[in-house]
Amino acid sequence: MRSRFNINNYSNLGQRAITASLGALIVVSASVYSDWTYFVVFAIILAFAQMEFYKLTGLDGMLPLRSFGTFLGVMIFTLTFMIEKERLPNEYLYLIFPIVSLTFFIKLYKKTDKKPFTGVAYTYLGIFYVALPFSLLNLAVFSQDKIYHYEILIGCLLILWASDTGAYFAGTKFGKTKLFERVSPKKSWEGFLGGAFSAILVAFILSQYFHVIEDWKWLVIAGIIIIAGTYGDLIESLFKRSIEIKDSGNQLPGHGGFMDRFDGLLLSAPFITAFLKIFQ
């Protein structure tokens, strides 16, 4: 009798490894294959992550515009991609402002909403917290001569994953000194240092093979990811604690939800993009 594969039969570490491997394969393959496959995969990830954010705020009694807010996020991502790819002129960015303003009109006609402006605020928060960082990735990957460079995206992701993995194993094995116990009791300084070491090591290796940017910039990006990525993780932990949940979702076995997997990227992306654009 043929046995069916069931990821739930594996330990948490096994689930993490399987999910991470499959996810990395999809993301890396799409990013390397072409700019259009990168666009499609990351637009889907953005949509899932933003819907997840709105679902979580709904658990705390908030009523953001889930579908319209997610549409706005994907629209901003699409506009920035098309402009960076030079398929649309920069002036099309101005479309964002009147379309985003439609949130107020929609809430005006929601008769059952007792706190409409709270819903508007959380709709906008989903855009700024989730959609904007993903959209800034478009500026990062096209930052060198307006040409799509998958090396920048893959490099940032590899450093982020190395930081997460190093922190996980170092924290599990050696973690004793609490990093920020009030927000995340399991995180430790030993885990932070393990993640930092792994990130810097991967950044150094990348600098030997990915020459689209100068070697020193990979090390600076590693520093940004180490600090901003850690704060991104802590901020999401604070968000989850405020609504008393453990994981943002269960779509990614062993990792929780999409926000759990990409929380470090959400806070790192703005700093990385600013750095690459200023020092391009």
Side-chain angles (χ1 to χ4, degrees):
M1 184 176 179
R2 187 184 305 174
S3 60
R4 291 185 176 181
F5 171 78
N6 188 346
I7 194 170
N8 294 321
N9 293 332
Y10 292 82
S11 66
N12 182 263
L13 180 59
Q15 292 181 24
R16 287 178 68 92
I18 294 170
T19 303
S21 299
L22 292 175
L25 178 63
I26 294 171
V27 170
V28 171
S29 299
S31 301
V32 172
Y33 186 75
S34 75
D35 49 0
W36 286 107
T37 50
Y38 146 76
F39 165 75
V40 171
V41 167
F42 273 82
I44 293 171
I45 294 172
L46 186 161
F48 275 109
Q50 197 165 348
M51 286 292 286
E52 194 173 85
F53 173 83
Y54 289 139
K55 179 182 177 182
L56 294 178
T57 57
L59 296 177
D60 202 34
M62 306 305 168
L63 294 173
L65 297 174
R66 292 176 59 179
S67 298
F68 186 67
T70 303
F71 163 75
L72 290 176
V74 175
M75 181 201 73
I76 294 170
F77 182 79
T78 302
L79 279 176
T80 53
F81 175 80
M82 297 298 285
I83 290 170
E84 289 299 307
K85 194 173 168 60
E86 297 186 328
R87 293 297 183 91
L88 291 175
N90 292 338
E91 288 76 12
Y92 273 76
L93 270 180
Y94 291 110
L95 286 174
I96 293 173
F97 303 110
I99 295 177
V100 167
S101 298
L102 291 177
T103 305
F104 293 101
F105 294 91
I106 295 172
K107 276 294 183 182
L108 183 65
Y109 288 93
K110 289 275 187 179
K111 297 180 180 180
T112 58
D113 197 342
K114 296 181 180 180
K115 296 182 178 180
F117 267 76
T118 304
V120 170
Y122 275 90
T123 301
Y124 286 159
L125 181 59
I127 294 170
F128 280 99
Y129 182 40
V130 181
L132 186 60
F134 274 100
S135 299
L136 288 174
L137 289 178
N138 292 325
L139 278 67
V141 297
F142 284 97
S143 63
Q144 308 301 306
D145 303 320
K146 288 291 185 177
I147 298 173
Y148 173 72
H149 288 287
Y150 71 85
E151 298 95 334
I152 293 176
L153 176 63
I154 298 302
C156 291
L157 290 175
L158 289 175
I159 294 171
L160 179 62
W161 293 338
S163 177
D164 288 345
T165 304
Y168 177 80
F169 284 106
T172 302
K173 183 70 174 177
F174 306 106
K176 292 181 180 180
T177 311
K178 301 301 182 181
L179 177 65
F180 212 119
E181 188 172 10
R182 178 174 62 85
V183 173
S184 186
K186 292 185 178 180
K187 288 182 174 56
S188 65
W189 278 104
E190 291 82 1
F192 172 79
L193 293 175
F197 174 79
S198 301
I200 292 171
L201 177 61
V202 169
F204 175 76
I205 295 172
L206 289 170
S207 69
Q208 307 303 303
Y209 295 95
F210 288 172
H211 301 297
V212 64
I213 58 177
E214 293 91 330
D215 295 353
W216 66 274
K217 289 184 179 179
W218 286 117
L219 298 176
V220 173
I221 288 174
I224 291 173
I225 288 174
I226 291 167
I227 298 172
T230 300
Y231 273 108
D233 196 4
L234 290 171
I235 288 169
E236 205 218 342
S237 294
L238 181 65
F239 171 59
K240 289 187 293 185
R241 286 177 69 86
S242 68
I243 54 177
E244 300 179 343
I245 62 169
K246 182 178 182 293
D247 295 317
S248 65
N250 56 9
Q251 298 92 336
L252 304 175
H255 295 271
F258 282 88
M259 288 183 62
D260 290 313
R261 180 67 287 191
F262 292 95
D263 53 7
L265 185 65
L266 295 180
L267 206 63
S268 300
F271 291 95
I272 292 170
T273 302
F275 167 69
L276 289 176
K277 297 296 284 187
I278 292 171
F279 294 98
Q280 63 183 340

